[in-house]
Amino acid sequence: MITNTKQELSKSSFWEKLDWNWTHTFIAVQFCLQILLLFPAIGIFRAPIRVAAFGIGLFFLIWLPKEEKKKHPATVPAVIVLLIMLLQFCLHPYINSITAALAQAIMYIAILSPLFWVRGIKITPHAFESLMFLMWGINVLSTIFGVLQVYYPGQFQLSLSTVIQNNPFQGENLLITLANGSQTYRPMGLTDVPGGAATSGLYALLFGVVIALRNKNPIIRILGIVSGGLGLFCIYLTQLRSVLVLAAISMIVLTVVLLRVGQIGRATAMIFGTTGLFFGSFLWAIAIGGQSTLERINSLFAQSPQEVYQQNRGIFLQETIERLLPQYPLGAGLGRWGMINSYFGDNTDLVSQPIWVEIQWTGWLLDGGLPLIFAYIFTIYFACTTAWKIAINRQLGDFALWGGLIFAYDIGVIALTFNYPIFMSQGGMTFWLLNAALFVAANHILNQQSSNMSDAEEL
């Protein structure tokens, strides 16, 4: 009995030190669901697992107790987004089907749900820091698998996405030729999509750099720097130039934040450190990836950034503005694109046929037209301005650096909207979770400071 009691106390102490809460559980469950998709035997349950990844947000929204705490500034425009979804579902004559339209509307609720349920959770600065370490650890693990997939082609690669398997070309365009002449899929990490390790690499870099800047422990600092190098290596080898540009933008934004708050020493260390990481990882990637990787990266500098973007994803933005906007200023009808259409759509009606979507702006236009685009712009704007205010708030002390991290992350996500529909993915939920958790944790500090000042005045 005494032994059991000691074990229980030990467990309790561990969880208290970790300061685990529902935000940690959310991230952990998302990760586990993604891992399940990597096993071929789970293939028949792919659709339910995908649905479950978004369903957990809805579950928390309904199940977790609601407390009247300060709302995130993005909450009001988020409610407007959801009202637009309701109007689209009820009034638009060209929804694909009742099931697909309802699924699309519910998906918007699920993705925005962290803005509503996170505010009811007690998130201390330590809890937020442990959440950041959890995010960092997950993405570093995925990045390590991405590196192993290049060094040992085929050995660390799990199941490919069924969408790629069912494609007539079966992902041949996603193969890369290494310096030794062998071919392999672009590093996937712990995803089922070739090139998926690039996103993990971006997060490993961003989180790793901030963790290295914040911690005095030399081991943690070294691990943070190493994770940044691994992340950049994966980004180079996936040959996704857009993510490489985002990595550079995120580092520049974070440097600007540090300079804005007068942390010249950290800014200087970051400039020299990240420059070394970009250059060192580049040499490493060329040594392994060979000529194809070098040519792919050099193409970024062969033309102006506008020309490079226009030749790749820019054509989709141009088509959205020039062809789809005049045709669907108030939306094309819910359920007409993406996996929602694939899983739940009924495409027998020629009027509500599926429409191909490559970037987020096309998705917003089809789902709600200009009203939805403007509503979502304001929602993201308030998320960014809130993170910025936290980043430059000197009252928050060293915690403000996490605000700089989230602000840089937010800017990177905005840039990703021009590349793919991130706000209709698990990445969109993570965006709102991190922004909401940052806001709650910052308010926890400010409320404590206010309470301490009141107590001091009474004394």
Side-chain angles (χ1 to χ4, degrees):
M1 289 292 292
I2 294 174
T3 303
N4 290 339
T5 303
K6 286 183 177 179
Q7 288 176 347
E8 289 175 7
L9 288 172
S10 177
K11 290 178 182 178
S12 175
S13 176
F14 169 77
W15 291 111
E16 285 176 5
K17 288 179 181 178
L18 189 59
D19 224 344
W20 188 278
N21 59 49
W22 289 112
T23 59
H24 298 77
T25 303
F26 180 86
I27 293 297
V29 171
Q30 293 289 317
F31 176 65
C32 291
L33 290 173
Q34 177 59 47
I35 294 298
L36 286 176
L37 294 175
L38 302 180
F39 296 94
I42 307 294
I44 57 173
F45 302 106
R46 185 177 185 82
I49 290 172
R50 285 291 192 196
V51 170
F54 297 98
I56 186 173
L58 296 172
F59 174 74
F60 281 178
L61 181 63
I62 297 168
W63 181 72
L64 288 179
K66 308 297 183 296
E67 294 186 28
E68 289 301 321
K69 290 187 177 181
K70 191 174 181 180
K71 297 177 182 178
H72 192 287
T75 303
V76 173
V79 170
I80 294 174
V81 168
L82 299 181
L83 288 175
I84 292 171
M85 285 296 100
L86 177 63
L87 291 174
Q88 287 287 322
F89 178 74
C90 295
L91 302 179
H92 202 289
Y94 300 128
I95 60 174
N96 177 267
S97 69
I98 295 293
T99 305
L102 182 61
Q104 192 91 347
I106 290 175
M107 194 168 179
Y108 272 86
I109 299 172
I111 288 169
L112 287 166
S113 65
L115 274 176
F116 302 94
W117 61 261
V118 169
R119 74 167 185 254
I121 299 171
K122 180 184 176 183
I123 303 177
T124 64
H126 180 64
F128 185 83
E129 183 173 354
S130 66
L131 179 65
M132 296 297 97
F133 269 88
L134 178 63
M135 288 283 297
W136 177 54
I138 287 172
N139 285 289
V140 169
L141 182 61
S142 181
T143 301
I144 290 171
F145 267 83
V147 174
L148 293 174
Q149 286 159 1
V150 174
Y151 271 89
Y152 306 98
Q155 293 187 35
F156 290 89
Q157 176 187 310
L158 298 174
S159 178
L160 271 177
S161 167
T162 53
V163 175
I164 297 174
Q165 292 180 33
N166 296 333
N167 187 286
F169 300 101
Q170 294 195 344
E172 287 183 8
N173 60 323
L174 301 175
L175 292 168
I176 57 172
T177 302
L178 302 178
N180 60 11
S182 64
Q183 280 196 324
T184 185
Y185 283 109
R186 296 176 180 181
M188 298 190 293
L190 292 174
T191 75
D192 55 359
V193 179
T199 303
S200 297
L202 176 63
Y203 294 155
L205 170 67
L206 188 54
F207 284 80
V209 165
V210 173
I211 284 171
L213 287 173
R214 286 190 85 253
N215 284 272
K216 295 180 180 179
N217 187 319
I219 296 176
I220 295 179
R221 279 190 168 181
I222 291 171
L223 289 175
I225 294 168
V226 169
S227 73
L230 292 173
L232 281 169
F233 175 80
C234 278
I235 293 172
Y236 285 126
L237 263 295
T238 57
Q239 300 183 5
L240 294 179
R241 296 170 298 183
S242 58
V243 181
L244 180 61
V245 172
L246 291 182
I249 290 172
S250 297
M251 293 299 99
I252 292 170
V253 170
L254 192 53
T255 304
V256 169
V257 172
L258 291 173
L259 292 173
R260 170 64 177 78
V261 296
Q263 296 189 22
I264 308 300
R266 277 179 169 172
T268 304
M270 184 177 162
I271 290 170
F272 283 103
T274 54
T275 301
L277 280 178
F278 272 85
F279 183 69
S281 299
F282 173 73
L283 296 178
W284 181 21
I286 298 305
I288 302 301
Q291 190 66 24
S292 63
T293 300
L294 179 62
E295 290 174 356
R296 183 75 172 172
I297 296 169
N298 283 341
S299 66
L300 275 173
F301 308 100
Q303 299 169 298
S304 68
Q306 295 90 339
E307 290 173 326
V308 173
Y309 179 74
Q310 180 60 32
Q311 290 179 7
N312 293 274
R313 315 303 281 178
I315 55 175
F316 301 114
L317 182 61
Q318 183 177 357
E319 182 186 20
T320 299
I321 296 171
E322 295 179 358
R323 185 177 72 84
L324 296 176
L325 178 57
Q327 192 174 355
Y328 306 113
L330 296 177
L334 294 174
R336 295 186 62 177
W337 65 277
M339 297 309 296
I340 292 291
N341 180 269
S342 178
Y343 287 144
F344 306 106
D346 177 9
N347 300 319
T348 56
D349 188 347
L350 296 178
V351 178
S352 60
Q353 286 291 295
I355 301 173
W356 189 258
V357 170
E358 285 281 349
I359 62 174
Q360 182 64 68
W361 298 89
T362 312
W364 282 333
L365 178 68
L366 298 180
D367 289 339
L370 287 174
L372 179 61
I373 289 176
F374 283 113
Y376 227 114
I377 286 174
F378 277 108
T379 311
I380 297 170
Y381 168 78
F382 282 115
C384 291
T385 54
T386 300
W388 170 257
K389 289 176 182 177
I390 291 171
I392 63 174
N393 191 333
R394 296 181 186 275
Q395 288 181 273
L396 295 172
D398 213 35
F399 180 84
L401 189 55
W402 291 124
L405 165 66
I406 299 303
F407 179 71
Y409 164 80
D410 289 351
I411 298 301
V413 170
I414 290 172
L416 279 175
T417 61
F418 294 91
N419 191 52
Y420 79 100
I422 186 168
F423 282 103
M424 290 302 287
S425 70
Q426 289 169 264
M429 281 195 299
T430 302
F431 176 92
W432 293 116
L433 177 87
L434 294 181
N435 277 277
L438 173 73
F439 178 75
V440 173
N443 273 312
H444 180 86
I445 297 173
L446 296 174
N447 290 338
Q448 273 195 331
Q449 290 176 348
S450 178
S451 176
N452 292 339
M453 288 179 63
S454 299
D455 291 343
E457 288 174 1
E458 289 178 8
L459 290 171

